[in-house]
Amino acid sequence: MSGIWLALAGFLVFFLGYRFYSKFIAEKIYKLDPAYVTPAHKYKDGVDFVPTNKYVLWGHHFTSIAGAAPILGPAIAVYWGWLPALVWVVLGTVFAAGVHDSGTLFMSVRNKGQSVGTLANKLIGQRAKILFLFIILLLVLMVNAVFAWVIANLFISNPSAVLSVFIQIPLAIWIGYHVYKRSGSMLLPSLIVLIVMYGTAVIASYVEPLQIDLVRYFGGEGATTFIGLNATSAAFFTWIIILMIYVYFASTLPVWKLLQPRDYINSHQLVIGLVILYAGLFITSPEVTAPMTNPAATDTPWFPILFITIACGAISGFHGLVSSGTTSKQLNNERDVRFVGYLGAVGEGLLALIAIIAVVTFFSSTDAFTATYSSFGAASDGGLGVFVQGAAALATGLGIPAAVAPTIIAVIIVSFAATTLDSSVRLMRYIISELGVEYSLPTITKKQVATAIAVFSSAALALIPQGPNGFGSGGYLLWPLFGTSNQLLAGISLLLLAIFLRRRGSSMLPALIPMVFLMFMTLYAMFVQVFTDWAPWATNTDWLLFTFGSIIFVFAIWIVFTAFSVISYERKNNKFKDVG
């Protein structure tokens, strides 16, 4: 069977979902009001609260949520076969992610641009807010570590992508000044930047990369180590430090200086990337060689692990943090909630869909697929690399040289991951500041201090060693817990949305149904992982994952019980709080 049929099936469901279901949600459930004064106008400060054109904002939002996760998760999940992954990505996007992303954006807009963590206080109480903020803090900390790990590894394995990615930064700053200081257009300059980036990628693909022997130059004459590390770990250590220095400055600059213009550039890059991959798919029409379901996948059950492995692309709690953390502060008109929030989720669904197709059509035969995907661990180790190779194979169908295609794919992935990393560090700074206010710690409410805490803790987690000189395994080790925490956060956000809708007199079912499904799957999977796979009494104890996982699991159960007790009290006493 041709991979084209998988794409067409996904396209049809996505189109119907946006055309009809998102319209129903916007008009009948949210009841969006174009006359409502959004926080971007009401609290305009030129730093975080900035009214933004919906296309530019969609670019920021889309690229902030579409990092490496919607690629990595599906690329791993096809271990169980392409059908379970495809069904969850498509239906999860339409009925869960679209509602979640647009709903958290709408809630935040109606509540002064506050984050979902702060909204928990208004909806279910102070205790729930603190617990939720700590869950969010742990999640964004893991996001920072995971995405820094992904970027560093891609830079090491694809050095030809480095210059293209870094040349974007000064050009994006130039665009920011051009647009917001001179009232110029952002479209043409961003397209010029893309041409420069891809031109650089082409040149770099044929030029021998600059090699810096860290061991030799920083370890002393004849030394074999660099600060006690081998060559590979030294390279990883260096990239993590460079990335953390960059995100410190990127996450403290006003959004119009770097965040918005770079995200707008990356939104074009994402669209171009999707067009390249889907066009390559339709031209080459590769055969699906992976099995529909994989009977050999017996070491790890697909139920319920599939629903946390694909942590983005179907639904992601991190999207709610972006929607309520940065996007809500830039929304120009409330009616843009549908376009920015729901369509952003559909865009990520398209990315996850092509990730599945690129992997399942890459192999020459089913035996070749099962040899590579011999176990869940093997799938986790090699999923991202297989996608890069599979996507490059699709790109060559458009005549892109085989030497250039992997570089362009790497540039696209790193650009998305870096965008998510920037937004995540900024969100972590917001949360640290909120906790500083909550616990009367004025020092950590300061922007520079809160950002420094976010950056140093993220770097420390990403650089957790494993084995001799094994710097940099922290991000990889956290991936299983990242998936469960991310989905758990999405479930709690949907729970908040259901309460919010009920208090506004709207039907809570569009949020309640996916919330119940997601919470059941995630808590079930988390219980199995934390108390069976990682626990001290397990065969392969993992204290890092067990500690983080136990805290998050207990906090989540606590929040759910608190929420339902609030709902029960309101129903019994017929008392409902104003929610905006």
Side-chain angles (χ1 to χ4, degrees):
M1 179 181 66
S2 171
I4 292 175
W5 292 109
L6 302 186
L8 290 177
F11 288 169
L12 178 61
V13 178
F14 288 148
F15 171 77
L16 294 175
Y18 183 72
R19 174 66 180 81
F20 297 105
Y21 191 58
S22 73
K23 184 178 181 181
F24 166 75
I25 294 295
E27 295 180 356
K28 304 300 182 182
I29 304 300
Y30 300 156
K31 301 173 185 175
L32 300 179
D33 181 7
Y36 183 80
V37 180
T38 65
H41 288 282
K42 192 171 184 179
Y43 307 107
K44 183 177 178 181
D45 62 4
V47 178
D48 294 317
F49 292 87
V50 180
T52 306
N53 175 279
K54 70 176 183 179
Y55 297 104
V56 175
L57 183 57
W58 180 86
H60 154 70
H61 180 79
F62 189 15
T63 52
S64 292
I65 65 175
I71 295 171
L72 183 56
I76 296 172
V78 294
Y79 167 65
W80 295 292
W82 59 261
L83 182 61
L86 181 72
V87 170
W88 174 229
V89 162
V90 173
L91 297 184
T93 295
V94 170
F95 294 107
V99 176
H100 170 273
D101 294 12
S102 60
T104 49
L105 177 57
F106 177 54
M107 278 197 301
S108 181
V109 167
R110 283 300 178 111
N111 287 274
K112 304 178 182 179
Q114 295 173 332
S115 70
V116 286
T118 302
L119 290 174
N121 181 27
K122 189 171 186 178
L123 293 168
I124 54 178
Q126 177 74 4
R127 181 182 299 168
K129 171 195 170 182
I130 300 301
L131 296 174
F132 198 31
L133 282 177
F134 274 110
I135 290 178
I136 295 172
L137 185 65
L138 291 174
L139 175 63
V140 293
L141 180 59
M142 286 187 286
V143 168
N144 297 342
V146 169
F147 280 75
W149 173 80
V150 168
I151 295 170
N153 274 284
L154 284 172
F155 276 159
I156 293 170
S157 59
N158 299 274
S160 55
V162 172
L163 185 58
S164 294
V165 172
F166 276 89
I167 205 172
Q168 182 191 42
I169 298 170
L171 294 176
I173 293 174
W174 167 73
I175 290 177
Y177 277 100
H178 173 71
V179 172
Y180 290 95
K181 293 296 185 181
R182 300 183 180 180
S183 301
S185 170
M186 190 178 288
L187 178 60
L188 182 59
S190 65
L191 294 178
I192 293 174
V193 171
L194 275 184
I195 293 173
V196 172
M197 288 179 65
Y198 289 141
T200 304
V202 171
I203 295 171
S205 299
Y206 293 103
V207 176
E208 187 70 22
L210 175 64
Q211 300 288 340
I212 300 177
D213 190 343
L214 295 171
V215 171
R216 178 179 176 184
Y217 288 107
F218 293 95
E221 188 66 29
T224 58
T225 60
F226 164 65
I227 59 171
L229 306 176
N230 59 34
T232 301
S233 294
F236 193 95
F237 177 89
T238 304
W239 274 122
I240 292 295
I241 299 303
I242 291 173
L243 287 170
M244 290 302 158
I245 292 173
Y246 159 71
V247 295
Y248 176 87
F249 292 102
S251 60
T252 54
L253 290 173
V255 292
W256 61 267
K257 281 189 177 180
L258 177 60
L259 189 69
Q260 284 185 351
R262 194 210 46 212
D263 290 355
Y264 189 61
I265 295 167
N266 286 339
S267 70
H268 294 308
Q269 190 170 193
L270 181 53
V271 171
I272 290 172
L274 289 173
V275 169
I276 288 174
L277 295 181
Y278 279 109
L281 171 68
F282 280 90
I283 289 174
T284 59
S285 186
E287 290 294 308
V288 176
T289 52
M292 180 183 295
T293 58
N294 185 9
T298 56
D299 62 331
T300 303
W302 73 270
F303 182 90
I305 305 301
L306 169 74
F307 302 99
I308 60 171
T309 301
I310 303 181
C312 296
I315 183 172
S316 166
F318 182 74
H319 295 190
L321 300 184
V322 175
S323 292
S324 63
T326 59
T327 306
S328 64
K329 297 175 176 63
Q330 302 170 60
L331 195 77
N332 183 53
N333 191 293
E334 189 173 272
R335 64 186 173 188
D336 296 340
V337 163
R338 180 190 176 201
F339 180 85
V340 175
Y342 198 100
L343 190 60
V346 171
E348 179 154 285
L350 286 169
L351 181 58
L353 177 62
I354 196 61
I356 292 172
I357 297 172
V359 172
V360 301
T361 60
F362 171 70
F363 297 94
S364 58
S365 65
T366 302
D367 289 341
F369 172 86
T370 53
T372 301
Y373 282 74
S374 58
S375 66
F376 185 71
S380 300
D381 288 341
L384 185 60
V386 172
F387 168 77
V388 172
Q389 297 176 68
L394 294 178
T396 56
L398 294 180
I400 298 175
V404 176
T407 300
I408 291 179
I409 297 300
V411 168
I412 292 173
I413 297 174
V414 170
S415 297
F416 300 160
T419 300
T420 303
L421 183 62
D422 293 355
S423 296
S424 182
V425 172
R426 186 179 289 262
L427 291 170
M428 191 172 178
R429 184 240 299 174
Y430 293 158
I431 296 165
I432 291 171
S433 296
E434 284 189 49
L435 290 172
V437 172
E438 191 66 37
Y439 289 103
S440 301
L441 299 171
T443 301
I444 69 171
T445 63
K446 297 177 181 179
K447 181 168 67 174
Q448 303 299 337
V449 175
T451 305
I453 293 173
V455 169
F456 280 114
S457 57
S458 300
L461 194 56
L463 291 170
I464 288 177
Q466 184 183 40
N469 300 327
F471 251 126
S473 59
Y476 169 73
L477 292 173
L478 287 168
W479 178 258
L481 186 57
F482 165 76
T484 53
S485 304
N486 197 20
Q487 302 301 72
L488 193 61
L489 179 59
I492 296 173
S493 297
L494 283 170
L495 176 60
L496 296 177
L497 178 60
I499 297 172
F500 175 80
L501 293 174
R502 185 173 183 272
R503 290 179 180 172
R504 297 188 80 245
S506 299
S507 172
M508 62 193 297
L509 290 179
L512 189 65
I513 293 173
M515 182 276 292
V516 171
F517 175 82
L518 198 62
M519 291 297 284
F520 172 77
M521 291 297 179
T522 305
L523 288 173
Y524 179 19
M526 200 168 197
F527 181 84
V528 170
Q529 288 183 317
V530 173
F531 299 107
T532 302
D533 298 340
W534 305 328
W537 49 85
T539 304
N540 298 310
T541 300
D542 192 315
W543 282 103
L544 176 68
L545 296 180
F546 177 73
T547 302
F548 273 83
S550 299
I551 294 172
I552 294 172
F553 184 83
V554 171
F555 282 6
I557 295 293
W558 198 343
I559 291 172
V560 170
F561 275 108
T562 301
F564 279 100
S565 66
V566 170
I567 294 173
S568 177
Y569 173 82
E570 289 182 346
R571 291 185 63 183
K572 182 178 179 180
N573 296 279
N574 198 30
K575 294 181 179 180
F576 302 96
K577 296 180 181 179
D578 177 37
V579 292

